[in-house]
Amino acid sequence: AAGVIQSPRHLIKEKRETATLKCYPIPRHDTVYWYQQGPGQDPQFLISFYEKMQSDKGSIPDRFSAQQFSDYHSELNMSSLELGDSALYFCASKDRNEQFFGPGTRLTVL
Amino acid sequence: AQSVTQPDIHITVSEGASLELRCNYSYGATPYLFWYVQSPGQGLQLLLKYFSGDTLVQGIKGFEAEFKRSQSSFNLRKPSVHWSDAAEYFCALKAAGNKLTFGGGTRVLVKP
């Protein structure tokens, strides 16, 4: 069965650079969630989209933005990267009441 | 506001022994509850979920969980642990807006 796809799987950036993370939900899933998991931490909700509109917002820094496109894929754009942004970023897509997680993108900021 | 608490940060168990991971939640309505497992550097895999109905829920890999409303708990159990069960386990609650709120996680170590 198709799963959530995230790209890239690993990303290394320097401080103050920008990064774009991509998420491709399971076909016919119209809702996407982004979570950030810092080292040794639990995942924290960042933002979600339903039918290309932002549906909820969590602890997402102002330096980050995201959108969902007409094909339902989503991109998380991160600017002015800081060391503290190093984390595993998960995308999930929703079917009814269950979220299916992608493998994550590991971002390392040097 | 909703919250999820996993009181045990680490648990060490011998292979073949039973395992119980605790999860307590705080939420003003009927919760939707989940247990996820995460191997090092990997994504989150759903073990089981509770929405309504039977309070004893069966999941994958031989895991089960029991929802107890009176105790605001959703503890995860496995009768006999295998070395491959060593991982981090997260309890999560789906709140309004559908976002998940996670507990802090419990890291399970399995001794041979």
Side-chain angles (χ1 to χ4, degrees):
Chain A
V4 176
I5 297 171
Q6 290 187 246
S7 68
R9 292 293 311 277
H10 300 272
L11 190 58
I12 300 175
K13 291 286 185 178
E14 301 272 346
K15 281 194 305 184
R16 293 179 287 279
E17 285 190 322
T18 61
T20 298
L21 278 53
K22 297 184 179 182
C23 169
Y24 298 86
I26 293 171
R28 293 182 294 281
H29 287 193
D30 53 16
T31 306
V32 168
Y33 300 81
W34 286 97
Y35 294 85
Q36 177 192 56
Q37 185 181 27
Q41 304 295 313
D42 57 289
Q44 295 291 318
F45 170 72
L46 292 178
I47 195 167
S48 63
F49 292 88
Y50 168 69
E51 283 289 345
K52 294 155 284 188
M53 299 288 290
Q54 179 182 309
S55 55
D56 200 356
K57 192 173 181 180
S59 51
I60 184 169
D62 292 340
R63 298 177 289 108
F64 294 5
S65 65
Q67 57 182 325
Q68 186 179 32
F69 295 85
S70 57
D71 64 350
Y72 297 108
H73 94 272
S74 177
E75 295 184 3
L76 178 65
N77 299 292
M78 310 159 72
S79 62
S80 302
L81 287 169
E82 301 173 356
L83 296 178
D85 296 328
S86 295
L88 195 53
Y89 290 83
F90 289 110
C91 168
S93 68
K94 186 174 79 74
D95 177 36
R96 298 181 187 179
N97 291 307
E98 183 176 340
Q99 292 183 26
F100 296 83
F101 283 81
T105 294
R106 182 168 296 283
L107 172 66
T108 302
V109 182
L110 303 176
Chain B
Q2 66 277 356
S3 66
V4 179
T5 302
Q6 293 178 242
D8 304 304
I9 298 175
H10 293 99
I11 284 183
T12 300
V13 61
S14 297
E15 192 168 14
S18 63
L19 174 69
E20 181 165 12
L21 304 183
R22 295 184 290 166
C23 172
N24 294 100
Y25 68 90
S26 174
Y27 188 54
T30 300
Y32 287 4
L33 295 161
F34 306 82
W35 274 101
Y36 288 89
V37 60
Q38 184 180 32
S39 297
Q42 300 300 309
L44 295 163
Q45 182 182 22
L46 180 67
L47 286 175
L48 46 77
K49 60 195 176 195
Y50 171 79
F51 293 163
S52 64
D54 193 347
T55 56
L56 186 62
V57 180
Q58 302 297 319
I60 62 170
K61 303 186 178 187
F63 285 93
E64 67 177 24
E66 186 170 13
F67 172 66
K68 292 186 177 180
R69 185 185 299 276
S70 61
Q71 298 177 19
S72 298
S73 69
F74 188 54
N75 294 347
L76 181 72
R77 298 192 291 257
K78 185 169 183 177
S80 177
V81 168
H82 187 260
W83 64 266
S84 59
D85 294 323
E88 183 136 27
Y89 292 79
F90 290 97
C91 181
L93 178 152
K94 185 179 83 71
N98 294 306
K99 62 179 179 286
L100 291 176
T101 297
F102 288 85
T106 299
R107 182 167 298 279
V108 173
L109 303 175
V110 180
K111 294 190 301 184

